[in-house]
Amino acid sequence: MQTKLLVTIIGIFILIAVAVLGVFFYLGSQTPQVVDLGETRNGNPIFPFGDTSAPVVNKPIKQNTDTGYTNDGLALQKISESPIAGAVIFNQGSTSITRYVERGTGHVYEKNLGEGASRRISNTTIPKIYEALWTSDGQNVVIRYLNDDTEAIRTFVAKFGKSTSTEAPPLEGVFLEESIKSLATLGKKIIYAVADQTSGRIFTVNPDGTKKTLLMSSPFGSWLVGGAASLGLIQSKPSAFAPSVVFTATLDGSKTTKLNGGAAGLSTLLNPLSTMALESQTGGGEVGLYIFDIKKSTLKKLPIATLAEKCTWSSAKKTLVYCAVPSYFPGGNYPDDWYQGSISFNDDIWSLDIETGETEVIFKPSSIGARADIVNILVDQRDHFLMFTSRDTNTLWSLDLTR
C-alpha cells in the first residue's frame, strides 16, 4: 500500500514537471504577435496570491514607545496597529507619505513618515480583504476581497471620490473579471493573469478599466505576474518540485520574450529599468540569490541567500537592492513550505550593491529582542524611508534610513 502511494505521488510530480516544460518549449518556439483590443472596458519581491500570514513562532516586533525603537541610529516605527492588506510609499515634494488599507475593514489610512499619526482618508468599508495593490503614485488601489454570495475573489480598482466638509471621500472605481489568479501594478498600469480549464491569458489594463490589452495566451494556466513600469514579467509559480519558466512582455502586447527558465524554485524581481533581474533558485535543497543581466544573458550568484520576494530595488541607486535575509533556513522544500505558512523565517534587513558586492546589515530585529518574517519591502524615491510588513502579524513598519 505504501509503495503504491509513493508511486502515485512521484507520478504527480512528473506530470507537473512535464506540463511546465511543455509550456517552456511551446512558448519559447512561438513568434510574438500583436493583439490590438482597442478601448475595451472590462477589466509584494511576484508573491503568490492567497498566502496568508504564517503562524507566529517567536515574539513578533512590538513597539513600547511613542517614537518607536532606535537601532544602531535607525528609527523603527510601527505604522499600523491592525493587520494591513497592502501599502504604498511615495513622495510629495520633500515629504515621504505612505497609504495603506486595513485588512479587516478596507479603510484607507495615510501617514507622513517621520511625523504625526495615521489618519483615515476614505469612508468606504470593505470587509474580508485578501490583498491591496497600489499604483506607484498612491492615487489608485486594487482591492481584492471575498464575495460572500459566490465565494469568489472580486477585484475592485478604486480611486478617491469627492470629500465633504464632514466626511472623508468614498472609494469609487471599476470591477475587473472574477477569474483573476494573479495581479500586480506596474507604475500606473495593472497587469493580471486569468485562467480557465483550457488556457491562461495575461492582460494589462488602465486603472479606469480602459485599454485592456492581451500580452500572452498559453495552454498553461498557473501564471504569476509582475514587472516594471515599462515591461511585464510572467512566470510559472515557483516550486521545489518543478522547473520554472519566465517571460517578459512589452505592455502594448507586441512582443513576448523568454527570459530564463529550467531552475527549480525560480522567482524573479525585475529592476525599474528592465535591464536586470534578481532571481532566487532552490535547486539541490539550497536557496541561492542571483543577478541576471538581461542584455548579456549572464547569471551571477550574489553573496546573500534569500528569496527574491523578500527584496526590492533602490529608487535612488540603480545597483542597490534591499532584502530581508533569513538568519537560517530550516529544513524544508523551498519556496513551497514558506508559501504555505508551514515555515516562518527570522529575517534581518540587508542592503546589497550588485555591482561591487558590498553588503550591509541595516536592521536586526534580534537586537531589540524581537523577530520578524519580513515581506513587501518598499522604499521612497530618495531612499530616506524603508517600509516592510511583518508576515507574522501583517502589521506595517518603517525605518528612517537617514538616522
Side-chain angles (χ1 to χ4, degrees):
M1 188 66 179
Q2 291 180 344
T3 301
K4 184 177 180 180
L5 178 60
L6 179 61
V7 170
T8 301
I9 293 173
I10 293 173
I12 291 173
F13 289 154
I14 292 174
L15 287 174
I16 292 173
V18 170
V20 173
L21 286 173
V23 174
F24 181 95
F25 290 110
Y26 170 78
L27 289 175
S29 65
Q30 301 304 298
T31 301
Q33 298 180 350
V34 178
V35 181
D36 184 9
L37 298 183
E39 296 284 340
T40 52
R41 292 266 332 158
N42 293 328
N44 215 36
I46 291 190
F47 194 85
F49 174 72
D51 295 320
T52 55
S53 58
V56 176
V57 178
N58 293 310
K59 181 175 62 175
I61 292 177
K62 292 182 179 180
Q63 180 186 18
N64 57 13
T65 71
D66 293 335
T67 58
Y69 291 106
T70 298
N71 177 63
D72 296 332
L74 300 177
L76 172 68
Q77 188 174 32
K78 188 177 186 181
I79 304 299
S80 70
E81 293 297 333
S82 301
I84 69 160
V88 66
I89 185 171
F90 58 98
N91 291 95
Q92 287 184 351
S94 60
T95 303
S96 299
I97 296 172
T98 182
R99 288 177 175 170
Y100 59 92
V101 179
E102 196 174 67
R103 181 182 289 263
T105 64
H107 296 162
V108 181
Y109 291 86
E110 179 180 283
K111 176 178 170 56
N112 293 352
L113 294 176
E115 60 182 46
S118 298
R119 64 184 184 92
R120 183 174 165 183
I121 60 171
S122 80
N123 66 6
T124 302
T125 298
I126 306 175
K128 300 181 180 179
I129 292 181
Y130 278 67
E131 66 176 350
L133 303 169
W134 291 84
T135 54
S136 58
D137 59 1
Q139 299 304 305
N140 296 92
V141 58
V142 185
I143 295 176
R144 306 195 69 194
Y145 67 96
L146 182 66
N147 185 332
D148 285 333
D149 296 330
T150 64
E151 295 188 351
I153 300 298
R154 303 201 72 184
T155 302
F156 179 55
V157 186
K159 64 179 181 179
F160 296 98
K162 293 183 178 180
S163 60
T164 68
S165 58
T166 58
E167 289 188 339
L171 293 178
E172 303 173 346
V174 297
F175 284 93
L176 304 185
E177 51 208 290
E178 287 195 352
S179 57
I180 293 175
K181 304 300 182 183
S182 174
L183 183 147
T185 55
L186 307 178
K188 297 181 182 180
K189 291 188 75 70
I190 298 165
I191 182 172
Y192 65 91
V194 297
D196 54 31
Q197 294 180 346
T198 61
S199 66
R201 298 175 306 283
I202 312 298
F203 296 96
T204 57
V205 69
N206 288 338
D208 62 1
T210 62
K211 294 188 177 180
K212 180 182 175 183
T213 304
L214 177 64
L215 302 189
M216 190 178 83
S217 179
S218 82
F220 184 69
S222 297
W223 295 109
L224 300 176
V225 293
S230 61
L231 200 65
L233 191 73
I234 306 163
Q235 72 167 54
S236 55
K237 184 175 180 178
S239 174
F241 304 108
S244 300
V245 60
V246 183
F247 296 88
T248 59
T250 55
L251 300 187
D252 62 1
S254 62
K255 185 179 181 181
T256 301
T257 305
K258 184 171 65 180
L259 180 66
N260 207 349
L266 177 63
S267 185
T268 307
L269 181 68
L270 199 63
N271 73 342
L273 298 177
S274 302
T275 57
M276 298 276 187
L278 278 181
E279 293 189 353
S280 55
Q281 301 179 13
T282 61
E286 177 181 309
V287 177
L289 187 67
Y290 302 80
I291 186 67
F292 183 75
D293 187 310
I294 295 175
K295 184 177 181 179
K296 298 178 181 178
S297 192
T298 57
L299 190 69
K300 181 177 73 173
K301 191 170 185 179
L302 296 173
I304 60 175
T306 189
L307 301 175
E309 294 96 325
K310 287 179 166 284
C311 297
T312 195
W313 289 89
S314 164
S315 298
K317 185 179 180 181
K318 64 180 181 180
T319 61
L320 191 66
V321 295
Y322 297 97
C323 294
V325 180
S327 57
Y328 75 100
F329 286 89
N333 299 308
Y334 293 105
D336 309 66
D337 288 348
W338 183 67
Y339 288 165
Q340 295 162 9
S342 58
I343 284 178
S344 180
F345 295 129
N346 183 11
D347 293 329
D348 300 327
I349 297 179
W350 292 54
S351 64
L352 165 67
D353 191 309
I354 62 170
E355 190 173 80
T356 66
E358 181 181 355
T359 62
E360 181 183 0
V361 181
I362 62 175
F363 174 62
K364 294 177 68 70
S366 61
S367 67
I368 55 173
R371 51 100 50 213
D373 191 348
I374 292 171
V375 293
N376 300 331
I377 296 180
L378 306 167
V379 289
D380 68 347
Q381 295 171 358
R382 300 168 300 168
D383 281 16
H384 285 186
F385 286 92
L386 179 149
M387 300 182 63
F388 65 89
T389 301
S390 169
R391 193 169 184 249
D392 305 312
T393 61
N394 281 313
T395 49
L396 183 64
W397 298 78
S398 74
L399 277 171
D400 185 342
L401 300 180
T402 66
R403 297 177 58 178

